[in-house]
Amino acid sequence: MNVVMLALGIGLATTVSVLGMRMYLLDSVDTELMSMRGSMGEARIGMEQVDSPGALVAVRDRNSPPSSAADADSLVRQAIFAALDENGKPLAVGGFAPTARQRALAAAVGDPAALVKDDEPHDVRVAGSPYRVTAARLDDGTTVLLATSTGTLHDVLTKTVGLGLVFGPLLLALLGGLTMVGVSRRLRPLEYMVETSSAIAEGDLTRRVPSSSHPAQEVEQLRLALNSMLQQVESAYRTRERSATQLRRFVADASHELRTPLSAIRGYLQLFDKGMLREPAERTRAWDRMSGEADRMGRLVDELLTLARLDQSPELRFRNVDLTRLVRDAAEDLRAQQPDRPVTVDADGTLLVHADESGLRQVLGNLIGNVRTHTPADVPVRLTVERADGAVRLSVADEGPGLTEEDASRVFDRFFRAGGGGGSGLGMAIVQGVVRAHGGEVEVHTTPGKGLKATVTLPHAGARG
């Protein structure tokens, strides 16, 4: 489109230039002819005076003398002077018979009287050549035709048009090529965007639109916005895939965990239904086993409900809680359950935090429950509460067997039990969920054979002492 508009502009400019040049040159010729015609009228001469071949030059010199002899000779060579009788026939001038050009001029004019009355010269063709002609009437009534060739003028215009036709397309081709190169260079980021979109549509979510060397401001802004959108799309897709994977694994694990107690309960019920439990001791043992499995299934369901609520970002009931008191209570519970276990508490005074008390009690209960379940009963345990760097840290450390690096990386996964131990495998997942609901973090540091330390950090904004 730009090339077409440029072509139209060049064509219009060339046309205006040629028309302007033609008008200017024709105006110069007409001015000279009308000046000669006026000079002859003011000279008051007749055919007797116009008896010399140089009379025309002498008449012209009265108003506009030539700048040089060469100009006069050029004018005489390109001009035609013809005197006509009453019938429009050429007359002899200076004793010379009318020439062929004079007769051709008289024949081309047709009506000399109209030229005398007209204020502007006319275009005629004499022997195939273009001329501008006008006429003057002498004092004796003789009509004189004055004509100047415009062949040179038309040659100049023809060459000008020819040059325009030759160089115009070349200029258009050059400008078109430069325009295509410039447009291609500026639109290259858009090509990158198309390639990136196609790659993403084929599954490569890591592709991004690269930056070009000299991008336009708008295109660069579009590239940055598109890359930001693609980053968000990739993050959302990865999150959805991860959530879907976790959900599938969670459902599979939950089904497996619930299948075990249900199978045990169903088996004992079938034994009772078939009358295979005849002895009171057998029936008592079966009843105890079914009650234990029912309790286990109830705890599992409660923990699953807790995780589901934590996943929905529940509104916790925050208030000032003495974390030191909670730690001492948890230590007393552990001493009551395992009297032989050495328990040390580093928590002096009162340390108030703004938190949900039931949530913190659950965190402490799960951390100490893991120690009670996975370490021997005589392994020492240390509970520590401190304020450091504007945050509150609660740590539970034991000197048990610890975990391997692989198990430590999965300790917060749901239904993960290190070494196939007891429990539901949801305790640490609940700890992490509750701590994150408080805006904090939980970390585990462990080394095989050297114990395990779980540290809960609550943010400064969530603590008030």
Side-chain angles (χ1 to χ4, degrees), residues 14-67:
T14 302
T15 302
V16 171
S17 300
V18 170
L19 292 177
M21 184 183 299
R22 183 178 183 277
M23 292 178 62
Y24 172 75
L25 295 177
L26 284 180
D27 185 66
S28 299
V29 173
D30 291 349
T31 300
E32 188 172 3
L33 287 176
M34 296 306 293
S35 176
M36 293 175 61
R37 169 178 160 176
S39 298
M40 295 185 67
E42 294 174 359
R44 303 288 184 180
I45 59 176
M47 278 301 296
E48 293 181 357
Q49 285 77 22
V50 187
D51 196 26
S52 170
L56 180 60
V57 177
V59 170
R60 196 196 76 169
D61 289 344
R62 295 183 57 185
N63 286 346
S64 56
S67 59

Side-chain angles (χ1 to χ4, degrees), residues 265-282:
I265 293 173
R266 186 183 296 113
Y268 284 112
L269 289 176
Q270 289 176 353
L271 291 176
F272 181 81
D273 184 58
K274 293 179 180 180
M276 299 178 67
L277 301 177
R278 296 184 178 89
E279 299 296 331
E282 293 179 347

Side-chain angles (χ1 to χ4, degrees), residues 193-426:
M193 293 178 191
V194 174
E195 295 175 0
T196 302
S197 300
S198 301
I200 290 177
E202 294 175 358
D204 186 6
L205 297 180
T206 61
R207 284 289 294 272
R208 296 294 181 268
V209 182
S211 176
S212 58
S213 56
H214 300 287
Q217 181 179 2
E218 294 79 4
V219 176
E220 180 66 11
Q221 291 177 352
L222 177 60
R223 184 189 71 85
L224 295 176
L226 182 58
N227 280 346
S228 177
M229 182 190 70
L230 292 177
Q231 181 65 37
Q232 295 180 5
V233 169
E234 181 184 5
S235 299
Y237 179 80
R238 300 298 184 195
T239 302
R240 189 189 69 175
E241 288 294 312
R242 185 166 55 253
S243 300
T245 301
Q246 291 177 349
L247 178 61
R248 288 192 295 268
R249 187 171 61 189
F250 177 78
V251 171
D253 293 340
S255 300
H256 175 74
E257 294 294 331
L258 290 173
R259 187 186 302 116
T260 301
L262 286 175
S263 298
I265 293 173
R266 186 183 296 113
Y268 284 112
L269 289 176
Q270 289 176 353
L271 291 176
F272 181 81
D273 184 58
K274 293 179 180 180
M276 299 178 67
L277 301 177
R278 296 184 178 89
E279 299 296 331
E282 293 179 347
R283 288 195 294 269
T284 300
R285 187 173 64 84
W287 176 260
D288 292 340
R289 290 288 295 129
M290 286 189 293
S291 297
E293 294 297 334
D295 291 341
R296 175 186 173 189
M297 188 166 54
R299 288 193 302 270
L300 180 62
V301 171
D302 290 339
E303 290 177 345
L304 291 176
L305 291 175
T306 299
L307 286 174
R309 287 194 295 268
L310 292 174
D311 290 339
Q312 295 175 358
S313 301
E315 293 185 3
L316 303 178
R317 289 176 293 183
F318 287 91
R319 63 188 183 89
N320 289 337
V321 179
D322 185 2
L323 187 57
T324 301
R325 178 175 58 85
L326 297 185
V327 170
R328 291 197 184 100
D329 291 345
E332 291 299 326
D333 293 341
L334 181 57
R335 291 190 184 102
Q337 295 168 354
Q338 295 179 332
D340 296 334
R341 184 185 296 274
V343 179
T344 304
V345 177
D346 292 335
D348 297 331
T350 300
L351 182 58
L352 296 178
V353 295
H354 195 60
D356 180 77
E357 181 175 353
S358 62
L360 292 184
R361 286 187 179 276
Q362 189 171 21
V363 168
L364 277 168
N366 287 358
L367 292 178
I368 293 178
N370 281 340
V371 173
R372 189 176 60 250
T373 302
H374 298 288
T375 63
D378 57 349
V379 170
V381 177
R382 178 178 295 273
L383 283 70
T384 305
V385 178
E386 61 181 349
R387 187 190 298 274
D389 300 329
V392 176
R393 290 194 178 93
L394 163 66
S395 62
V396 177
D398 64 68
E399 299 178 9
L403 297 176
T404 63
E405 182 178 353
E406 181 181 358
D407 288 344
S409 64
R410 298 184 55 195
V411 71
F412 295 110
D413 291 349
R414 298 178 182 183
F415 298 106
F416 173 74
R417 291 188 292 269
S424 64
L426 297 176

Side-chain angles (χ1 to χ4, degrees), residues 418-437:
S424 64
L426 297 176
M428 293 302 291
I430 293 176
V431 169
Q432 186 182 54
V434 173
V435 172
R436 286 183 175 177

Side-chain angles (χ1 to χ4, degrees), residues 66-93:
S67 59
S68 66
D71 291 341
D73 292 341
S74 176
L75 178 63
V76 172
R77 284 196 304 269
Q78 296 182 359
I80 302 177
F81 176 80
L84 306 180
D85 59 14
E86 296 177 355
N87 298 322
K89 300 297 181 181
L91 300 174
V93 178

